Amino acid sequence: MTEEMKSLQVGDVIQGKVVKVENSQALVDIGWKSEAILPISELAGVHVSHVSDVLADGQELEVKIIRHNEEEDQFIVSKKAIEAEKAWAELEEKLASGATLQATVHEVVNGGLVVNVGVRGFIPASLVDTKFIEDFSGFVGEEVTLKVIELDREKNKCILSRKAVLAEALEQTKKSALEKIEAGDVLEGTVQRLTDFGAFVDLGGVDGLVHVSEIAWYRVEHPADALTEGDQVKVKVLKIDREQERISLSIKETLQGPWEKVALHLNAGDIISGLVRRLVTFGAFVEVAPGVEGLVHISQISHDHIATPGEALKEGQEVRVKVLDILPEQKRISLSIKEVEPKPEPVRMEHKQEEEMNVTLGDVFPDLKNFK
């Protein structure tokens, strides 16, 4: 026992046993005449609030002697120094190989997260996830998979990334999904992002684009007019380019077409309302259902003779029309406006004759009025 006591010095790594846990330190039996002091600051590479969170009476552990108080002949020991030496070696190997490691999030600090990886590891906010996260509090206590990005042992600097791990997993999932998807497939997806030209839909690891023209059978000015981020939608794969990792999708191709609906609900002779969409020299195109327009020939616009459709109609005007003929297979509907409007009554001939008989010679020859 005496020989062992004489051999203890700063830098030694020895086995000890916790004798007493106090608020800011623990007393450890290292076989010396007095117990060694293990300060709370030497427990771990991260902040520890209470010694009892890490140690318990009777617990055996390995410690390193870091100082000797010669006045009281008492040693100061460290637990984190042992862990740090092992950790740096493992972290350097992980950095070189690109291998991942597991760690539990210890706390949220300004700019990111702190984890204990044998030393204090820091995950910058920009490297926590592949998407923006406003509140990091939910990560505390969670075990995460990380990659080592940067190390500096002298500055005790260890930068880690969770985003890199997630990005690799997403890329693998994306490649796997691209291999399985074929043109013509009908799939379920989630609207991830809306742009001016369309909507990006997540198909389970890979995104496809639904162009604004493929959202609905009717005209959509902006994707936000018909879709919301998070919507669950059914899409048909129109085209796939595996080299460019691009997938063209259609929502409207999974829906019943407007002409199919019209064929079920519209018949010749029906009178319905519609909107004048376009005026052409030979008539007017009237929208009678979303995505379905019928033609009112110029001869069917008015009972009166008109030279151009614009004399009686204007674009955007609501009109009542009668269905003259419908050919869904050819996507053609013939309509009439004048068939809905009452026909004007003809002028009675007797009235016309009476008006003619009431005409005087003075009306016909006004110069006779001044003849004497």
PDB file of all heavy atoms in Angstrom, residues 45-47 104-109 112-116 120-123:
ATOM      1  N   GLY A  45     -17.466  16.274 -20.809  1.00  0.00           N
ATOM      2  CA  GLY A  45     -17.095  17.317 -21.762  1.00  0.00           C
ATOM      3  C   GLY A  45     -18.170  18.367 -21.937  1.00  0.00           C
ATOM      4  O   GLY A  45     -17.923  19.429 -22.511  1.00  0.00           O
ATOM      5  N   VAL A  46     -19.390  18.086 -21.436  1.00  0.00           N
ATOM      6  CA  VAL A  46     -20.487  19.043 -21.519  1.00  0.00           C
ATOM      7  C   VAL A  46     -20.871  19.485 -20.110  1.00  0.00           C
ATOM      8  O   VAL A  46     -20.439  18.908 -19.114  1.00  0.00           O
ATOM      9  CB  VAL A  46     -21.718  18.412 -22.223  1.00  0.00           C
ATOM     10  CG1 VAL A  46     -21.389  18.088 -23.672  1.00  0.00           C
ATOM     11  CG2 VAL A  46     -22.202  17.167 -21.479  1.00  0.00           C
ATOM     12  N   HIS A  47     -21.695  20.533 -20.044  1.00  0.00           N
ATOM     13  CA  HIS A  47     -22.112  21.070 -18.749  1.00  0.00           C
ATOM     14  C   HIS A  47     -22.952  20.056 -17.974  1.00  0.00           C
ATOM     15  O   HIS A  47     -23.859  19.434 -18.528  1.00  0.00           O
ATOM     16  CB  HIS A  47     -22.924  22.347 -18.961  1.00  0.00           C
ATOM     17  CG  HIS A  47     -23.531  22.887 -17.704  1.00  0.00           C
ATOM     18  ND1 HIS A  47     -22.771  23.499 -16.722  1.00  0.00           N
ATOM     19  CD2 HIS A  47     -24.827  22.877 -17.257  1.00  0.00           C
ATOM     20  CE1 HIS A  47     -23.574  23.861 -15.732  1.00  0.00           C
ATOM     21  NE2 HIS A  47     -24.808  23.494 -16.036  1.00  0.00           N
ATOM     22  N   THR A 104     -26.364  11.698 -27.854  1.00  0.00           N
ATOM     23  CA  THR A 104     -27.597  12.259 -27.300  1.00  0.00           C
ATOM     24  C   THR A 104     -27.444  13.768 -27.179  1.00  0.00           C
ATOM     25  O   THR A 104     -26.431  14.252 -26.663  1.00  0.00           O
ATOM     26  CB  THR A 104     -27.912  11.652 -25.924  1.00  0.00           C
ATOM     27  OG1 THR A 104     -28.054  10.237 -26.067  1.00  0.00           O
ATOM     28  CG2 THR A 104     -29.203  12.235 -25.363  1.00  0.00           C
ATOM     29  N   VAL A 105     -28.457  14.480 -27.632  1.00  0.00           N
ATOM     30  CA  VAL A 105     -28.425  15.946 -27.563  1.00  0.00           C
ATOM     31  C   VAL A 105     -28.506  16.370 -26.100  1.00  0.00           C
ATOM     32  O   VAL A 105     -29.441  16.015 -25.388  1.00  0.00           O
ATOM     33  CB  VAL A 105     -29.577  16.570 -28.371  1.00  0.00           C
ATOM     34  CG1 VAL A 105     -29.570  18.097 -28.211  1.00  0.00           C
ATOM     35  CG2 VAL A 105     -29.459  16.191 -29.847  1.00  0.00           C
ATOM     36  N   HIS A 106     -27.506  17.139 -25.687  1.00  0.00           N
ATOM     37  CA  HIS A 106     -27.413  17.547 -24.282  1.00  0.00           C
ATOM     38  C   HIS A 106     -28.172  18.836 -24.005  1.00  0.00           C
ATOM     39  O   HIS A 106     -28.906  18.939 -23.012  1.00  0.00           O
ATOM     40  CB  HIS A 106     -25.939  17.715 -23.898  1.00  0.00           C
ATOM     41  CG  HIS A 106     -25.723  18.062 -22.474  1.00  0.00           C
ATOM     42  ND1 HIS A 106     -25.910  17.164 -21.440  1.00  0.00           N
ATOM     43  CD2 HIS A 106     -25.337  19.232 -21.884  1.00  0.00           C
ATOM     44  CE1 HIS A 106     -25.652  17.758 -20.286  1.00  0.00           C
ATOM     45  NE2 HIS A 106     -25.305  19.013 -20.526  1.00  0.00           N
ATOM     46  N   GLU A 107     -27.997  19.825 -24.891  1.00  0.00           N
ATOM     47  CA  GLU A 107     -28.674  21.097 -24.674  1.00  0.00           C
ATOM     48  C   GLU A 107     -28.719  21.919 -25.959  1.00  0.00           C
ATOM     49  O   GLU A 107     -27.984  21.662 -26.917  1.00  0.00           O
ATOM     50  CB  GLU A 107     -27.976  21.906 -23.571  1.00  0.00           C
ATOM     51  CG  GLU A 107     -26.540  22.287 -23.908  1.00  0.00           C
ATOM     52  CD  GLU A 107     -25.883  23.112 -22.821  1.00  0.00           C
ATOM     53  OE1 GLU A 107     -26.588  23.901 -22.166  1.00  0.00           O
ATOM     54  OE2 GLU A 107     -24.652  22.973 -22.635  1.00  0.00           O
ATOM     55  N   VAL A 108     -29.602  22.913 -25.931  1.00  0.00           N
ATOM     56  CA  VAL A 108     -29.701  23.875 -27.027  1.00  0.00           C
ATOM     57  C   VAL A 108     -28.958  25.129 -26.614  1.00  0.00           C
ATOM     58  O   VAL A 108     -29.180  25.655 -25.523  1.00  0.00           O
ATOM     59  CB  VAL A 108     -31.176  24.222 -27.338  1.00  0.00           C
ATOM     60  CG1 VAL A 108     -31.260  25.268 -28.450  1.00  0.00           C
ATOM     61  CG2 VAL A 108     -31.960  22.974 -27.715  1.00  0.00           C
ATOM     62  N   VAL A 109     -28.053  25.593 -27.471  1.00  0.00           N
ATOM     63  CA  VAL A 109     -27.323  26.829 -27.198  1.00  0.00           C
ATOM     64  C   VAL A 109     -27.517  27.776 -28.377  1.00  0.00           C
ATOM     65  O   VAL A 109     -28.113  27.406 -29.390  1.00  0.00           O
ATOM     66  CB  VAL A 109     -25.814  26.559 -26.988  1.00  0.00           C
ATOM     67  CG1 VAL A 109     -25.595  25.723 -25.736  1.00  0.00           C
ATOM     68  CG2 VAL A 109     -25.215  25.883 -28.212  1.00  0.00           C
ATOM     69  N   GLY A 112     -27.066  26.509 -32.206  1.00  0.00           N
ATOM     70  CA  GLY A 112     -27.082  25.082 -32.507  1.00  0.00           C
ATOM     71  C   GLY A 112     -27.324  24.189 -31.308  1.00  0.00           C
ATOM     72  O   GLY A 112     -27.938  24.592 -30.320  1.00  0.00           O
ATOM     73  N   LEU A 113     -26.805  22.956 -31.402  1.00  0.00           N
ATOM     74  CA  LEU A 113     -27.012  21.947 -30.360  1.00  0.00           C
ATOM     75  C   LEU A 113     -25.667  21.459 -29.829  1.00  0.00           C
ATOM     76  O   LEU A 113     -24.674  21.422 -30.554  1.00  0.00           O
ATOM     77  CB  LEU A 113     -27.782  20.747 -30.939  1.00  0.00           C
ATOM     78  CG  LEU A 113     -29.138  21.021 -31.593  1.00  0.00           C
ATOM     79  CD1 LEU A 113     -29.677  19.737 -32.221  1.00  0.00           C
ATOM     80  CD2 LEU A 113     -30.129  21.572 -30.579  1.00  0.00           C
ATOM     81  N   VAL A 114     -25.665  21.057 -28.563  1.00  0.00           N
ATOM     82  CA  VAL A 114     -24.467  20.502 -27.937  1.00  0.00           C
ATOM     83  C   VAL A 114     -24.722  19.035 -27.621  1.00  0.00           C
ATOM     84  O   VAL A 114     -25.776  18.667 -27.092  1.00  0.00           O
ATOM     85  CB  VAL A 114     -24.112  21.262 -26.640  1.00  0.00           C
ATOM     86  CG1 VAL A 114     -22.987  20.543 -25.882  1.00  0.00           C
ATOM     87  CG2 VAL A 114     -23.694  22.690 -26.969  1.00  0.00           C
ATOM     88  N   VAL A 115     -23.753  18.186 -27.964  1.00  0.00           N
ATOM     89  CA  VAL A 115     -23.851  16.758 -27.655  1.00  0.00           C
ATOM     90  C   VAL A 115     -22.570  16.331 -26.945  1.00  0.00           C
ATOM     91  O   VAL A 115     -21.525  16.975 -27.070  1.00  0.00           O
ATOM     92  CB  VAL A 115     -24.036  15.908 -28.941  1.00  0.00           C
ATOM     93  CG1 VAL A 115     -25.369  16.196 -29.590  1.00  0.00           C
ATOM     94  CG2 VAL A 115     -22.900  16.138 -29.927  1.00  0.00           C
ATOM     95  N   ASN A 116     -22.678  15.239 -26.210  1.00  0.00           N
ATOM     96  CA  ASN A 116     -21.523  14.694 -25.524  1.00  0.00           C
ATOM     97  C   ASN A 116     -21.009  13.496 -26.314  1.00  0.00           C
ATOM     98  O   ASN A 116     -21.671  12.467 -26.394  1.00  0.00           O
ATOM     99  CB  ASN A 116     -21.897  14.268 -24.107  1.00  0.00           C
ATOM    100  CG  ASN A 116     -20.685  13.761 -23.326  1.00  0.00           C
ATOM    101  OD1 ASN A 116     -19.542  13.895 -23.768  1.00  0.00           O
ATOM    102  ND2 ASN A 116     -20.947  13.163 -22.168  1.00  0.00           N
ATOM    103  N   ARG A 120     -16.948  17.870 -25.903  1.00  0.00           N
ATOM    104  CA  ARG A 120     -18.104  18.691 -26.257  1.00  0.00           C
ATOM    105  C   ARG A 120     -18.220  18.786 -27.784  1.00  0.00           C
ATOM    106  O   ARG A 120     -17.350  19.311 -28.453  1.00  0.00           O
ATOM    107  CB  ARG A 120     -17.960  20.103 -25.670  1.00  0.00           C
ATOM    108  CG  ARG A 120     -19.141  21.025 -25.932  1.00  0.00           C
ATOM    109  CD  ARG A 120     -18.838  22.413 -25.373  1.00  0.00           C
ATOM    110  NE  ARG A 120     -19.983  23.319 -25.484  1.00  0.00           N
ATOM    111  CZ  ARG A 120     -20.275  24.053 -26.558  1.00  0.00           C
ATOM    112  NH1 ARG A 120     -19.492  23.962 -27.644  1.00  0.00           N
ATOM    113  NH2 ARG A 120     -21.318  24.849 -26.570  1.00  0.00           N
ATOM    114  N   GLY A 121     -19.286  18.245 -28.307  1.00  0.00           N
ATOM    115  CA  GLY A 121     -19.529  18.302 -29.737  1.00  0.00           C
ATOM    116  C   GLY A 121     -20.585  19.349 -30.045  1.00  0.00           C
ATOM    117  O   GLY A 121     -21.572  19.489 -29.316  1.00  0.00           O
ATOM    118  N   PHE A 122     -20.390  20.086 -31.118  1.00  0.00           N
ATOM    119  CA  PHE A 122     -21.329  21.151 -31.481  1.00  0.00           C
ATOM    120  C   PHE A 122     -21.908  20.890 -32.870  1.00  0.00           C
ATOM    121  O   PHE A 122     -21.175  20.604 -33.825  1.00  0.00           O
ATOM    122  CB  PHE A 122     -20.615  22.504 -31.461  1.00  0.00           C
ATOM    123  CG  PHE A 122     -21.507  23.666 -31.812  1.00  0.00           C
ATOM    124  CD1 PHE A 122     -22.605  23.991 -31.021  1.00  0.00           C
ATOM    125  CD2 PHE A 122     -21.255  24.439 -32.942  1.00  0.00           C
ATOM    126  CE1 PHE A 122     -23.427  25.062 -31.347  1.00  0.00           C
ATOM    127  CE2 PHE A 122     -22.064  25.522 -33.271  1.00  0.00           C
ATOM    128  CZ  PHE A 122     -23.158  25.826 -32.471  1.00  0.00           C
ATOM    129  N   ILE A 123     -23.246  20.988 -32.955  1.00  0.00           N
ATOM    130  CA  ILE A 123     -23.948  20.866 -34.239  1.00  0.00           C
ATOM    131  C   ILE A 123     -24.509  22.240 -34.574  1.00  0.00           C
ATOM    132  O   ILE A 123     -25.498  22.680 -33.963  1.00  0.00           O
ATOM    133  CB  ILE A 123     -25.101  19.850 -34.165  1.00  0.00           C
ATOM    134  CG1 ILE A 123     -24.657  18.539 -33.528  1.00  0.00           C
ATOM    135  CG2 ILE A 123     -25.682  19.598 -35.559  1.00  0.00           C
ATOM    136  CD1 ILE A 123     -25.799  17.572 -33.238  1.00  0.00           C
TER     137      ILE A 123
END
